[in-house]
Amino acid sequence: MKLKRILIFCVWGLVMAASVGAQSLERITPGQEWPDRKGEHINAHGGGLLFHEGKYYWYGENRPARGFTTEVGVEVYSSSDLMNWEDEGVALAVSEEAGHDIERGCIMERPKVVRNPKTGKFVMLFHLELKGKGYAAARVGFAESDSPFRFIRSLRPNAGKWPTDFSRRDIRKAKKLKEADYKEWWTPEWREAIREGLLLARDVPGGQMSRDMTVYVDDDGKAYHIYSAEENLTLNLAELTDDYLDYTGRYVRIAPGGQNEAPTIFKRDGVYWMITSGCTGWAPNEARMFKAASLWGPWEQLPSPFVGKDAKKSFHTQGTYIFKVEGTEDGFVFMADRWNPQSLKNSRHIWLPIDFEADGTPVIRWVDSWSPKEWKSIR
Ligand code: DGJ
């Protein structure tokens, strides 16, 4: 009799646990744990969003509870309401082959998946660091799906190519610059040399360094890879080929020497807005914002869009992507990570609606909770 009662109690406990896990979320609560349909905190960090055939797909870094290397790969979740997410499993798995570019123990960060309207394929770009080399490799990885994704290759972008806006004279000048002449960083001379292409020129033969990154697809279907190059000092915006699997060789530098990481971008009323972070490892810092009428620049730097308490630390977050809620005119959402280096897996997700001033300037305010369903009422 006693045993029977214990058994009933256990079964009831299991049923309750399952039903709690499957509870439906009605709001997004930035900074709180974000349980998936099974009740597990969503493990998709440095991620990005894709909308396809009525569903959102959230791709991000599957991070371990301890440590900094990639042991699983890129995880994907799906949702139809942006609040309740189903873990769809590993979209791109690490390789078990020794010496493989994405061998288990490498570092895969900030994956972004876009659909190529011409080929109908999904393409993933991500920041890749090779196993055992810390952050020295500074490469971009390419993968393509049907499903799951197939790793194609990794590289440093635009080997042998100079920025599109560099004249012959600029190239000649840059080629003369030598790192040995600028051993001390942050002096006015060093800043000038960086602007003129000290590290750019160093990296032209092998391709530009490529760390924090995003991918942007413009209205005409052309895709661009935006990444931190030159030891994280300078952003590059590089055009991808029609299949999104290579570079056309056209690229520009944005804010040379400005130390921008975590690029996120969107377009509203014909203006491109880019929100980035500074470079302070896993620690938060004050975001930066840029605007341009053309992706090719010029990019004008503006103050951080964050306002209110803790705005100087961007509410203790670092951006990862900006998306628009389907069916809204300008329901843009800033997706960010609140990194927890003690347990990257448990880093929190901060999603905040972007507001706009009368002149169109984006503003990000803290909200404790919001719902994409009530888009109008929270603005
Ligand atoms: C900041 C970057 O934005 C993250 O993606 C990660 O690379 C950390 N730095 C590593 O310190």
Side-chain angles (χ1 to χ4, degrees):
M1 185 59 193
K2 209 171 168 201
L3 187 68
K4 199 172 163 197
R5 227 183 280 154
I6 292 173
L7 266 175
I8 291 170
F9 185 72
C10 287
V11 170
W12 177 80
L14 282 173
V15 169
M16 284 311 284
S19 68
V20 165
Q23 236 172 32
S24 155
L25 301 175
E26 288 301 321
R27 302 190 66 78
I28 288 173
T29 49
Q32 305 296 313
E33 268 192 20
W34 195 335
D36 67 8
R37 299 293 282 176
K38 283 197 232 124
E40 295 277 323
H41 179 57
I42 292 172
N43 196 351
H45 308 280
L49 227 70
L50 167 84
F51 185 76
H52 182 62
E53 291 180 351
K55 266 195 172 175
Y56 296 94
Y57 294 88
W58 177 356
Y59 292 86
E61 305 158 13
N62 178 317
R63 288 290 197 167
R66 298 273 174 278
F68 296 90
T69 55
T70 303
E71 305 299 315
V72 176
V74 174
E75 196 77 13
V76 58
Y77 292 77
S78 71
S79 171
S80 50
D81 64 6
L82 290 166
M83 293 174 285
N84 296 284
W85 293 90
E86 188 82 46
D87 187 355
E88 300 282 355
V90 182
L92 177 65
V94 291
S95 166
E96 300 301 335
E97 190 188 318
H100 195 286
D101 279 11
I102 58 166
E103 178 182 1
R104 181 194 298 273
C106 68
I107 300 173
M108 293 158 81
E109 290 185 348
R110 299 185 175 270
K112 301 290 174 284
V113 175
V114 288
R115 183 170 177 273
N116 186 312
K118 277 203 181 132
T119 62
K121 301 240 181 193
F122 297 91
V123 175
M124 181 193 295
L125 272 74
F126 58 96
H127 167 199
L128 173 68
E129 296 295 345
L130 303 176
K131 183 176 177 179
K133 299 212 161 30
Y135 277 83
R139 295 170 82 80
V140 56
F142 284 83
E144 193 178 39
S145 164
D146 307 310
S147 173
F149 280 79
R150 177 177 60 87
F151 175 74
I152 299 176
R153 66 178 182 291
S154 81
L155 51 81
R156 280 190 173 187
N158 287 312
K161 301 277 194 271
W162 291 87
T164 312
D165 52 358
F166 257 49
S167 66
R168 278 168 200 267
R169 191 167 162 270
D170 292 335
I171 296 174
R172 269 201 309 275
K173 217 166 159 191
K175 277 180 164 172
K176 287 197 188 119
L177 299 166
K178 296 279 163 293
E179 267 188 291
D181 297 336
Y182 300 91
K183 289 213 175 93
E184 196 186 333
W185 282 36
W186 309 116
T187 64
E189 300 75 33
W190 175 89
R191 282 179 197 276
E192 181 63 10
I194 290 295
R195 265 196 298 278
E196 289 182 341
L198 173 68
L199 299 182
L200 165 82
R202 179 199 70 184
D203 292 341
V204 162
Q208 297 300 312
M209 297 176 88
S210 175
R211 292 202 183 109
D212 274 16
M213 54 144 279
T214 194
V215 177
Y216 179 70
V217 179
D218 211 346
D219 300 334
D220 60 3
K222 274 204 181 305
Y224 302 84
H225 178 209
I226 304 166
Y227 52 93
S228 301
E230 300 176 25
E231 311 288 353
N232 293 351
L233 287 165
T234 301
L235 286 171
N236 282 185
L237 179 146
E239 189 180 64
L240 297 175
T241 49
D242 280 355
D243 60 8
Y244 299 176
L245 297 176
D246 209 341
Y247 297 87
T248 63
R250 289 185 79 203
Y251 73 104
V252 283
R253 300 161 83 215
I254 300 172
Q259 277 202 305
N260 286 281
E261 277 193 325
T264 61
I265 184 171
F266 70 106
K267 178 157 81 169
R268 182 174 179 261
D269 295 340
V271 179
Y272 298 91
W273 299 93
M274 183 148 48
I275 300 172
T276 66
S277 75
C279 289
T280 49
W282 300 110
N285 53 54
E286 186 172 20
R288 294 96 180 271
M289 183 159 67
F290 300 83
K291 88 184 225 197
S294 156
L295 286 171
W296 299 108
W299 286 88
E300 180 195 348
Q301 185 159 359
L302 303 162
S304 162
F306 286 78
V307 293
K309 188 172 170 275
D310 287 339
K312 287 257 181 269
K313 296 271 183 230
S314 311
F315 308 145
H316 300 274
T317 73
Q318 188 182 33
T320 182
Y321 199 67
I322 293 172
F323 68 89
K324 193 165 83 154
V325 179
E326 284 302 309
T328 66
E329 183 119 325
D330 58 359
F332 292 97
V333 178
F334 184 74
M335 272 174 84
D337 300 280
R338 180 173 289 166
W339 296 113
N340 175 356
Q342 274 72 49
S343 179
L344 286 178
K345 175 183 179 176
N346 292 306
S347 299
R348 298 290 166 87
H349 310 288
I350 316 289
W351 288 20
L352 292 168
I354 301 179
D355 222 333
F356 296 95
E357 284 174 10
D359 68 355
T361 305
V363 178
I364 302 177
R365 294 191 179 84
W366 181 261
V367 281
D368 287 338
S369 79
W370 63 281
S371 162
K373 287 185 191 157
E374 299 162 1
W375 189 260
K376 291 248 150 39
S377 63
I378 57 160
R379 296 173 54 74

PDB file of all heavy atoms in Angstrom, residues 277-293:
ATOM      1  N   SER A 277      28.809  47.608 -29.811  1.00  0.00           N
ATOM      2  CA  SER A 277      29.328  47.788 -28.446  1.00  0.00           C
ATOM      3  C   SER A 277      30.791  48.187 -28.545  1.00  0.00           C
ATOM      4  O   SER A 277      31.389  48.109 -29.625  1.00  0.00           O
ATOM      5  CB  SER A 277      29.200  46.484 -27.657  1.00  0.00           C
ATOM      6  OG  SER A 277      30.197  45.571 -28.085  1.00  0.00           O
ATOM      7  N   GLY A 278      31.355  48.554 -27.404  1.00  0.00           N
ATOM      8  CA  GLY A 278      32.807  48.707 -27.324  1.00  0.00           C
ATOM      9  C   GLY A 278      33.431  47.338 -27.085  1.00  0.00           C
ATOM     10  O   GLY A 278      32.746  46.307 -27.162  1.00  0.00           O
ATOM     11  N   CYS A 279      34.708  47.308 -26.809  1.00  0.00           N
ATOM     12  CA  CYS A 279      35.433  46.029 -26.653  1.00  0.00           C
ATOM     13  C   CYS A 279      35.905  45.854 -25.215  1.00  0.00           C
ATOM     14  O   CYS A 279      36.968  46.365 -24.849  1.00  0.00           O
ATOM     15  CB  CYS A 279      36.670  46.020 -27.545  1.00  0.00           C
ATOM     16  SG  CYS A 279      36.317  45.888 -29.266  1.00  0.00           S
ATOM     17  N   THR A 280      35.113  45.164 -24.401  1.00  0.00           N
ATOM     18  CA  THR A 280      35.533  44.915 -23.016  1.00  0.00           C
ATOM     19  C   THR A 280      35.290  43.453 -22.639  1.00  0.00           C
ATOM     20  O   THR A 280      34.827  43.152 -21.543  1.00  0.00           O
ATOM     21  CB  THR A 280      34.793  45.869 -22.038  1.00  0.00           C
ATOM     22  OG1 THR A 280      33.386  45.837 -22.342  1.00  0.00           O
ATOM     23  CG2 THR A 280      35.284  47.290 -22.153  1.00  0.00           C
ATOM     24  N   GLY A 281      35.591  42.555 -23.546  1.00  0.00           N
ATOM     25  CA  GLY A 281      35.449  41.112 -23.255  1.00  0.00           C
ATOM     26  C   GLY A 281      33.996  40.763 -22.980  1.00  0.00           C
ATOM     27  O   GLY A 281      33.099  41.128 -23.730  1.00  0.00           O
ATOM     28  N   TRP A 282      33.759  40.064 -21.857  1.00  0.00           N
ATOM     29  CA  TRP A 282      32.375  39.674 -21.512  1.00  0.00           C
ATOM     30  C   TRP A 282      31.676  40.764 -20.708  1.00  0.00           C
ATOM     31  O   TRP A 282      30.489  40.647 -20.409  1.00  0.00           O
ATOM     32  CB  TRP A 282      32.376  38.377 -20.683  1.00  0.00           C
ATOM     33  CG  TRP A 282      32.988  37.211 -21.386  1.00  0.00           C
ATOM     34  CD1 TRP A 282      34.176  36.606 -21.083  1.00  0.00           C
ATOM     35  CD2 TRP A 282      32.462  36.494 -22.511  1.00  0.00           C
ATOM     36  NE1 TRP A 282      34.420  35.577 -21.951  1.00  0.00           N
ATOM     37  CE2 TRP A 282      33.385  35.474 -22.837  1.00  0.00           C
ATOM     38  CE3 TRP A 282      31.306  36.618 -23.283  1.00  0.00           C
ATOM     39  CZ2 TRP A 282      33.185  34.593 -23.895  1.00  0.00           C
ATOM     40  CZ3 TRP A 282      31.099  35.738 -24.339  1.00  0.00           C
ATOM     41  CH2 TRP A 282      32.040  34.745 -24.627  1.00  0.00           C
ATOM     42  N   ALA A 283      32.417  41.802 -20.320  1.00  0.00           N
ATOM     43  CA  ALA A 283      31.828  42.855 -19.478  1.00  0.00           C
ATOM     44  C   ALA A 283      31.066  43.852 -20.348  1.00  0.00           C
ATOM     45  O   ALA A 283      31.508  44.171 -21.451  1.00  0.00           O
ATOM     46  CB  ALA A 283      32.925  43.554 -18.697  1.00  0.00           C
ATOM     47  N   PRO A 284      29.943  44.358 -19.836  1.00  0.00           N
ATOM     48  CA  PRO A 284      29.160  45.299 -20.653  1.00  0.00           C
ATOM     49  C   PRO A 284      29.818  46.671 -20.731  1.00  0.00           C
ATOM     50  O   PRO A 284      30.607  47.044 -19.862  1.00  0.00           O
ATOM     51  CB  PRO A 284      27.836  45.385 -19.906  1.00  0.00           C
ATOM     52  CG  PRO A 284      28.165  45.046 -18.497  1.00  0.00           C
ATOM     53  CD  PRO A 284      29.312  44.079 -18.538  1.00  0.00           C
ATOM     54  N   ASN A 285      29.468  47.420 -21.745  1.00  0.00           N
ATOM     55  CA  ASN A 285      29.985  48.783 -21.901  1.00  0.00           C
ATOM     56  C   ASN A 285      28.901  49.627 -22.580  1.00  0.00           C
ATOM     57  O   ASN A 285      27.796  49.145 -22.841  1.00  0.00           O
ATOM     58  CB  ASN A 285      31.293  48.769 -22.701  1.00  0.00           C
ATOM     59  CG  ASN A 285      31.134  48.035 -24.023  1.00  0.00           C
ATOM     60  OD1 ASN A 285      30.250  48.351 -24.811  1.00  0.00           O
ATOM     61  ND2 ASN A 285      31.976  47.036 -24.261  1.00  0.00           N
ATOM     62  N   GLU A 286      29.237  50.863 -22.875  1.00  0.00           N
ATOM     63  CA  GLU A 286      28.237  51.757 -23.470  1.00  0.00           C
ATOM     64  C   GLU A 286      28.128  51.491 -24.972  1.00  0.00           C
ATOM     65  O   GLU A 286      29.145  51.501 -25.691  1.00  0.00           O
ATOM     66  CB  GLU A 286      28.622  53.219 -23.223  1.00  0.00           C
ATOM     67  CG  GLU A 286      27.545  54.182 -23.688  1.00  0.00           C
ATOM     68  CD  GLU A 286      27.818  55.618 -23.275  1.00  0.00           C
ATOM     69  OE1 GLU A 286      28.976  55.954 -22.963  1.00  0.00           O
ATOM     70  OE2 GLU A 286      26.848  56.407 -23.273  1.00  0.00           O
ATOM     71  N   ALA A 287      26.919  51.257 -25.435  1.00  0.00           N
ATOM     72  CA  ALA A 287      26.702  50.979 -26.868  1.00  0.00           C
ATOM     73  C   ALA A 287      27.019  52.208 -27.706  1.00  0.00           C
ATOM     74  O   ALA A 287      27.064  53.333 -27.186  1.00  0.00           O
ATOM     75  CB  ALA A 287      25.260  50.547 -27.102  1.00  0.00           C
ATOM     76  N   ARG A 288      27.235  51.962 -28.965  1.00  0.00           N
ATOM     77  CA  ARG A 288      27.426  53.066 -29.912  1.00  0.00           C
ATOM     78  C   ARG A 288      26.363  52.933 -30.997  1.00  0.00           C
ATOM     79  O   ARG A 288      25.867  51.832 -31.238  1.00  0.00           O
ATOM     80  CB  ARG A 288      28.784  52.969 -30.598  1.00  0.00           C
ATOM     81  CG  ARG A 288      29.978  53.154 -29.662  1.00  0.00           C
ATOM     82  CD  ARG A 288      30.516  51.814 -29.195  1.00  0.00           C
ATOM     83  NE  ARG A 288      31.654  51.965 -28.313  1.00  0.00           N
ATOM     84  CZ  ARG A 288      32.906  52.036 -28.770  1.00  0.00           C
ATOM     85  NH1 ARG A 288      33.157  51.954 -30.064  1.00  0.00           N
ATOM     86  NH2 ARG A 288      33.898  52.179 -27.928  1.00  0.00           N
ATOM     87  N   MET A 289      26.129  54.028 -31.713  1.00  0.00           N
ATOM     88  CA  MET A 289      25.164  53.957 -32.811  1.00  0.00           C
ATOM     89  C   MET A 289      25.714  54.724 -34.017  1.00  0.00           C
ATOM     90  O   MET A 289      26.412  55.733 -33.856  1.00  0.00           O
ATOM     91  CB  MET A 289      23.834  54.538 -32.361  1.00  0.00           C
ATOM     92  CG  MET A 289      22.743  54.435 -33.419  1.00  0.00           C
ATOM     93  SD  MET A 289      21.106  54.543 -32.692  1.00  0.00           S
ATOM     94  CE  MET A 289      21.089  56.211 -32.107  1.00  0.00           C
ATOM     95  N   PHE A 290      25.403  54.214 -35.194  1.00  0.00           N
ATOM     96  CA  PHE A 290      25.827  54.848 -36.443  1.00  0.00           C
ATOM     97  C   PHE A 290      24.619  54.903 -37.371  1.00  0.00           C
ATOM     98  O   PHE A 290      23.735  54.053 -37.295  1.00  0.00           O
ATOM     99  CB  PHE A 290      26.914  54.017 -37.134  1.00  0.00           C
ATOM    100  CG  PHE A 290      28.157  53.836 -36.310  1.00  0.00           C
ATOM    101  CD1 PHE A 290      28.235  52.846 -35.339  1.00  0.00           C
ATOM    102  CD2 PHE A 290      29.251  54.665 -36.504  1.00  0.00           C
ATOM    103  CE1 PHE A 290      29.384  52.687 -34.575  1.00  0.00           C
ATOM    104  CE2 PHE A 290      30.406  54.519 -35.749  1.00  0.00           C
ATOM    105  CZ  PHE A 290      30.475  53.516 -34.785  1.00  0.00           C
ATOM    106  N   LYS A 291      24.647  55.886 -38.274  1.00  0.00           N
ATOM    107  CA  LYS A 291      23.580  55.907 -39.286  1.00  0.00           C
ATOM    108  C   LYS A 291      24.173  56.247 -40.648  1.00  0.00           C
ATOM    109  O   LYS A 291      25.222  56.908 -40.737  1.00  0.00           O
ATOM    110  CB  LYS A 291      22.474  56.873 -38.895  1.00  0.00           C
ATOM    111  CG  LYS A 291      22.638  58.301 -39.320  1.00  0.00           C
ATOM    112  CD  LYS A 291      21.489  59.108 -38.750  1.00  0.00           C
ATOM    113  CE  LYS A 291      20.917  60.027 -39.800  1.00  0.00           C
ATOM    114  NZ  LYS A 291      20.104  61.099 -39.262  1.00  0.00           N
ATOM    115  N   ALA A 292      23.498  55.768 -41.698  1.00  0.00           N
ATOM    116  CA  ALA A 292      23.989  56.035 -43.050  1.00  0.00           C
ATOM    117  C   ALA A 292      22.826  55.948 -44.027  1.00  0.00           C
ATOM    118  O   ALA A 292      21.857  55.206 -43.808  1.00  0.00           O
ATOM    119  CB  ALA A 292      25.055  55.007 -43.430  1.00  0.00           C
ATOM    120  N   ALA A 293      22.948  56.696 -45.109  1.00  0.00           N
ATOM    121  CA  ALA A 293      21.924  56.636 -46.156  1.00  0.00           C
ATOM    122  C   ALA A 293      22.232  55.499 -47.130  1.00  0.00           C
ATOM    123  O   ALA A 293      21.356  55.045 -47.869  1.00  0.00           O
ATOM    124  CB  ALA A 293      21.866  57.964 -46.896  1.00  0.00           C
TER     125      ALA A 293
END
